[in-house]
Amino acid sequence: MTSSNSTAVEEEGCDECYVIGVFCALAGSSLQALGLSLWKLQHMKTEKEKAAKLAKDKQREGRIAAYVKHGSHGDDFPSETGRKNSASSHKSDLDGDGSDGSHEQRVTIAGEGGHRSEDGGEQEADQKGCIARVQWIWWLGFIIFAIGNGGDFIALGITKQSVVTLVGSWALVVNTFTASCLLHEIVHKLDVLASLFIIAGIVLTVMFSGQDSPEWPLDKIVEQYRTPQVIVMLAILATLTFSGLTVMHVDHVYRHKKADKNKALVEKPSRLIGALYCIVGSMVADFTVLFGKAFSGLLLPTLMGDNQFTSPFVVVVVLVFCVSLPSQIYLIDQSLEVNDALYHIPNFYVFWNVGSIITGAIYYEEMANFELRNWLGFFSGVLILFIGVYLTNVAAGLKAEALEEQQRQRDYEEWMGGGGNEDGLVGLYNHALWYDAVWE
């Protein structure tokens, strides 16, 4: 009778752990999606203010060039501040040098409050100021994202890895709402369809990937990390990760050098490089979830009084987890800087889910007892997942084309609406500047 009651209590405890783990993963994935959207919002605000400042400076340079070419010595040059009311202007300092029969003009334009802007110091200060004004959004997103990761960490300690992976797909649904409400991003009908495909694919892969994963003691965990298949898996994963980081670094340096040379904003990377940001971030996340589950599984019993930190190998587990977690956060932040949120989050979760299931299957041997239906169901789920990825990429391309056309139209209206005079020469000059900026 006692034995039967003990068994019943153990089964009830397992059910409670499963429910708690599901809710922790559900809450964690929701908070992570919200945190990611806040990070993206911060990047968007920063880029918007930088672009506005750069456009203002370029317009000023264009007007200076026009004045130097067509202006006269005694005329007043309209300042940037005075253009708003079309009434005020600041004096330009002109110095001439007639050596060798040539005539050079140097124009110094007074800035806000009549103070001169030299060597870009004022511009740099303005850019730093705009970044500081939106920095709190990033920190709020970081705190929310960290709390979400804490929920996943707890879930990994009391629930199977595949279950946490499945529930994490809920972030895709949350992201659709947050990207629309917070970021005002276009939600294409293909985004909704892609999310449905992704969720369906994740459900299939988890359902047929083998749910019965025993809770291993410390000795078994240490022994499994030393098996050849696990060593090969970790070596391949590390090689792919560092290779991807190398390509990303080379592209990053190239784009920044090009921007410095042209004195322009840093261009977004190609779509292939943008996808690489998602893939590398997901591979680092695979390290996080694999070593995080082992760490959480050892930490929770230790907090209950059963010390599990008795092997030197545990230090390796904890070290890899502590390095991979902030690295994952950094890479996700970088991906959101160069990618649309509706592009990053679905792709990241797809690659992370597939990688997590594969690493879990190899480490925990979840595919050891696969039957034909398991193999068919698992790879059908993977196929559906990548169909969802494809639809996401198609939607991202359509939205990018629409946004480029809208931006081109806004640029044209901005150039043409920058001011005019009675003979229309300023309007013609603005049109020439716009044409050169867009098509050359």
Side-chain angles (χ1 to χ4, degrees):
M1 184 71 176
T2 303
S3 176
S4 176
N5 290 338
S6 176
T7 302
V9 170
E10 289 179 1
E11 291 178 354
E12 183 179 355
C14 291
D15 291 339
E16 290 176 355
C17 288
Y18 176 82
V19 174
I20 294 174
V22 168
F23 275 102
C24 285
L26 185 63
S29 61
S30 301
L31 292 175
Q32 288 175 38
L34 178 58
L36 293 176
S37 294
L38 288 173
W39 280 355
K40 182 62 179 179
L41 178 62
Q42 184 264 330
H43 289 306
M44 291 173 62
K45 286 182 174 293
T46 301
E47 290 298 320
K48 183 178 180 180
E49 295 202 20
K50 285 183 178 180
K53 185 65 171 62
L54 183 61
K56 183 178 179 181
D57 292 339
K58 283 187 174 181
Q59 190 176 36
R60 177 185 297 177
E61 292 175 0
R63 294 193 301 116
I64 293 174
Y67 180 76
V68 170
K69 184 176 181 181
H70 303 290
S72 61
H73 290 280
D75 295 339
D76 290 342
F77 188 88
S79 69
E80 200 70 32
T81 306
R83 293 191 62 208
K84 210 178 252 187
N85 300 321
S86 299
S88 63
S89 63
H90 296 285
K91 284 289 184 179
S92 304
D93 300 327
L94 302 179
D95 294 333
D97 184 4
S99 60
D100 297 328
S102 63
H103 183 73
E104 296 179 358
Q105 293 179 320
R106 179 174 58 84
V107 182
T108 304
I109 305 302
E112 300 290 342
H115 298 288
R116 295 181 181 180
S117 174
E118 298 181 358
D119 298 331
E122 183 179 324
Q123 178 181 356
E124 183 178 354
D126 289 344
Q127 290 181 352
K128 290 181 178 179
C130 78
I131 294 175
R133 287 194 295 271
V134 296
Q135 196 67 27
W136 68 270
I137 300 177
W138 190 94
W139 282 109
L140 177 61
F142 174 80
I143 293 172
I144 294 175
F145 186 81
I147 295 174
N149 274 276
D152 278 354
F153 182 76
I154 296 174
L156 284 170
I158 58 180
T159 310
K160 296 180 177 63
Q161 180 174 319
S162 57
V163 174
V164 178
T165 303
L166 169 63
V167 178
S169 63
W170 171 250
L172 302 174
V173 180
V174 178
N175 174 63
T176 303
F177 290 100
T178 56
S180 176
C181 298
L182 292 178
L183 309 179
H184 305 291
E185 292 185 356
I186 302 173
V187 180
H188 199 276
K189 58 183 179 181
L190 285 180
D191 288 317
V192 179
L193 183 61
S195 296
L196 294 177
F197 269 90
I198 290 171
I199 292 175
I202 291 173
V203 170
L204 282 176
T205 54
V206 173
M207 285 179 58
F208 292 96
S209 63
Q211 296 284 332
D212 298 330
S213 179
E215 298 296 331
W216 290 347
L218 175 61
D219 294 340
K220 179 63 175 176
I221 291 176
V222 174
E223 178 185 352
Q224 192 68 6
Y225 274 114
R226 295 172 177 171
T227 57
Q229 62 268 25
V230 174
I231 294 176
V232 171
M233 176 194 71
L234 295 177
I236 293 175
L237 194 58
T239 302
L240 293 176
T241 300
F242 284 108
S243 298
L245 289 173
T246 301
V247 174
M248 290 163 52
H249 176 71
V250 172
D251 175 76
H252 176 83
V253 172
Y254 169 76
R255 289 186 291 110
H256 278 73
K257 285 185 176 180
K258 183 178 179 181
D260 293 339
K261 180 180 179 181
N262 299 330
K263 295 181 180 180
L265 291 175
V266 180
E267 295 180 354
K268 298 293 184 182
S270 64
R271 188 174 299 179
L272 181 61
I273 299 296
L276 188 60
Y277 275 83
C278 297
I279 295 173
V280 173
S282 67
M283 288 190 293
V284 175
D286 291 333
F287 279 104
T288 303
V289 71
L290 188 61
F291 286 84
K293 179 171 176 59
F295 180 30
S296 181
L298 297 175
L299 180 62
L300 294 180
T302 300
L303 295 177
M304 299 295 292
D306 184 13
N307 184 21
Q308 298 291 311
F309 294 87
T310 58
S311 172
F313 190 77
V314 175
V315 178
V316 178
V317 174
V318 176
L319 182 63
V320 173
F321 173 75
C322 292
V323 171
S324 63
L325 181 58
S327 299
Q328 169 192 339
I329 294 175
Y330 172 78
L331 290 171
I332 290 174
D333 180 58
Q334 292 298 302
S335 179
L336 287 171
E337 185 175 356
V338 301
N339 289 317
D340 186 270
L342 288 173
Y343 175 84
H344 163 82
I345 294 181
N347 283 276
F348 173 82
Y349 272 93
V350 164
F351 290 113
W352 177 69
N353 277 285
V354 173
S356 178
I357 292 173
I358 292 175
T359 55
I362 294 176
Y363 182 84
Y364 291 106
E365 301 176 349
E366 293 177 348
M367 295 185 180
N369 298 321
F370 259 28
E371 299 177 355
L372 179 60
R373 66 181 186 88
N374 297 105
W375 290 107
L376 292 176
F378 178 80
F379 285 106
S380 296
V382 172
L383 178 60
I384 294 175
L385 278 173
F386 282 99
I387 291 176
V389 174
Y390 174 75
L391 292 176
T392 301
N393 294 334
V394 172
L398 294 175
K399 290 186 292 184
E401 292 177 0
L403 290 175
E404 287 178 1
E405 181 61 31
Q406 293 176 6
Q407 185 62 43
R408 186 179 294 114
Q409 182 64 27
R410 284 196 297 267
D411 291 341
Y412 176 78
E413 293 175 356
E414 180 180 351
W415 281 109
M416 295 303 295
N421 54 13
E422 294 180 356
D423 57 11
L425 292 177
V426 174
L428 292 174
Y429 180 72
N430 286 341
H431 181 273
L433 289 178
W434 170 82
Y435 186 87
D436 292 341
V438 173
W439 302 108
E440 296 184 4

